[in-house]
Amino acid sequence: MQSRRSRLDRFLSNHLCINRRDVRLLLAQGRVKLDHRQADDIQQLVDQYTHVQVDGRILQAETASYIMLHKPPGVVSATKDSVHRTLIDLLPAGHPENLHIAGRLDFNSTGLALLTNDGRWSRGLSSPDANIEKRYRVRVDKPVSQQLVTAFSEGLYFAYEKLTTRPAQLFIIDNHHVDVILKEGRYHQVKRMFGRFQIEVLSLHRLSVGKLKLDENLLEGDSRSLTDQEVSAALTASFPWSVR
Ligand code: URA
């Protein structure tokens, strides 16, 4: 999804079919409100979620939506699917339009799924420069050795993509459970990393994205809107690395 940003003068000139001089006049007369506050700067940027009013008439009022959903197994991380239930199908009726999924989970993976209509936010979550950590609780079929911890931290070469994975953290919890922290999200990445060492992933549960944790009160299939703090927390780079 593209987020559209333009300068206020261009936005008003396009929407009202008036020239830039008349736009300046509107502002000087205090007739324009952005996000319910009087606007006075023609260079101010307006994006698709800025609430814009002129003489009390609303020109734009789309609101950004951010939803956390506890993904159950057996659900596709997609907005449409002809065979299986999708994350969108799990939302209560009347959910906002135009949602997309910010960071997919595999069909049988569970845990923190995020949906939004704000493309800038979801791109921020997956941007390689942002270093946003995704933490997974993984159940494996056999014990994990310290050599694997080192191998994950050094990165593994994926021949298909011709790349080496970024340093990943691996915390051994017990013989069959580990936490993995990735700063990227490649196709089946966790399963492929363990598969390289003949270890099978039996279940995979996303605990957090950035500093945003899955709400423990949400049962599988349940969802709720994020608070403003949580929207920012998801984009906040890292926890100190330790077993938590
Ligand atoms: N890595 C995987 O292999 N599967 C997921 O669902 C997420 C990360």
Side-chain angles (χ1 to χ4, degrees):
M1 175 194 259
Q2 285 294 320
S3 58
R4 303 170 293 280
R5 294 175 96 188
S6 66
R7 273 175 41 155
L8 178 57
D9 53 354
R10 189 169 310 129
F11 179 94
L12 290 177
S13 159
N14 288 342
H15 276 74
L16 299 172
C17 301
I18 57 175
N19 62 37
R20 303 274 170 100
R21 209 182 28 175
D22 288 341
V23 169
R24 256 185 243 117
L25 195 61
L26 282 180
L27 258 72
Q29 293 171 340
R31 295 162 62 189
V32 181
K33 282 190 178 166
L34 295 187
D35 291 332
H36 311 283
R37 276 196 220 106
Q38 194 173 311
D40 52 16
D41 178 4
I42 53 166
Q43 297 194 19
Q44 189 169 340
L45 290 178
V46 171
D47 69 19
Q48 77 226 64
Y49 303 117
T50 312
H51 189 278
V52 186
Q53 260 173 295
V54 176
D55 291 336
R57 174 180 151 215
I58 296 171
L59 297 190
Q60 176 175 276
E62 193 177 347
T63 47
S65 300
Y66 307 91
I67 294 169
M68 161 192 303
L69 187 151
H70 186 164
K71 181 187 178 299
V75 173
V76 189
S77 286
T79 51
K80 282 197 186 93
D81 191 274
S82 52
V83 180
H84 300 289
R85 275 190 316 164
T86 68
L87 293 180
I88 294 281
D89 295 332
L90 297 178
L91 296 177
H95 63 76
E97 294 293 321
N98 304 327
L99 293 173
H100 62 272
I101 290 137
R104 288 161 199 282
L105 284 170
D106 292 341
F107 186 64
N108 280 321
S109 297
T110 58
L112 177 58
L114 296 170
L115 297 105
T116 183
N117 54 6
D118 181 352
R120 220 174 335 146
W121 185 73
S122 53
R123 278 195 298 282
L125 293 180
S126 56
S127 154
D129 298 332
N131 284 321
I132 306 299
E133 294 177 346
K134 287 97 190 168
R135 186 174 188 127
Y136 302 90
R137 176 71 40 93
V138 186
R139 193 158 66 87
V140 282
D141 68 338
K142 50 179 88 71
V144 164
S145 66
Q146 276 303 323
Q147 282 95 311
L148 207 76
V149 176
T150 309
F152 272 41
S153 71
E154 288 171 349
L156 302 181
Y157 184 68
F158 280 2
Y160 183 74
E161 292 98 329
K162 296 192 182 62
L163 56 82
T164 300
T165 56
R166 299 178 74 192
Q169 301 291 305
L170 187 51
F171 299 105
I172 299 172
I173 296 169
D174 60 36
N175 278 345
H176 290 284
H177 294 91
V178 291
D179 273 7
V180 179
I181 299 181
L182 300 183
K183 289 187 178 178
E184 58 195 338
R186 310 212 166 268
Y187 180 67
H188 294 328
Q189 181 163 350
V190 173
K191 289 176 192 150
R192 288 162 77 198
M193 289 175 81
F194 283 104
R196 187 67 63 82
F197 302 90
Q198 287 74 52
I199 295 177
E200 194 186 339
V201 169
L202 301 176
S203 69
L204 192 152
H205 181 82
R206 185 153 63 199
L207 295 164
S208 57
V209 172
K211 287 193 170 167
L212 173 64
K213 291 183 185 173
L214 176 64
D215 182 339
E216 287 169 6
N217 296 317
L218 283 183
L219 300 175
E220 281 189 352
D222 285 352
S223 58
R224 68 161 173 81
S225 293
L226 297 185
T227 64
D228 290 349
Q229 286 90 332
E230 287 174 329
V231 171
S232 313
L235 281 176
T236 305
S238 56
F239 297 100
W241 281 344
S242 62
V243 179
R244 293 177 290 267

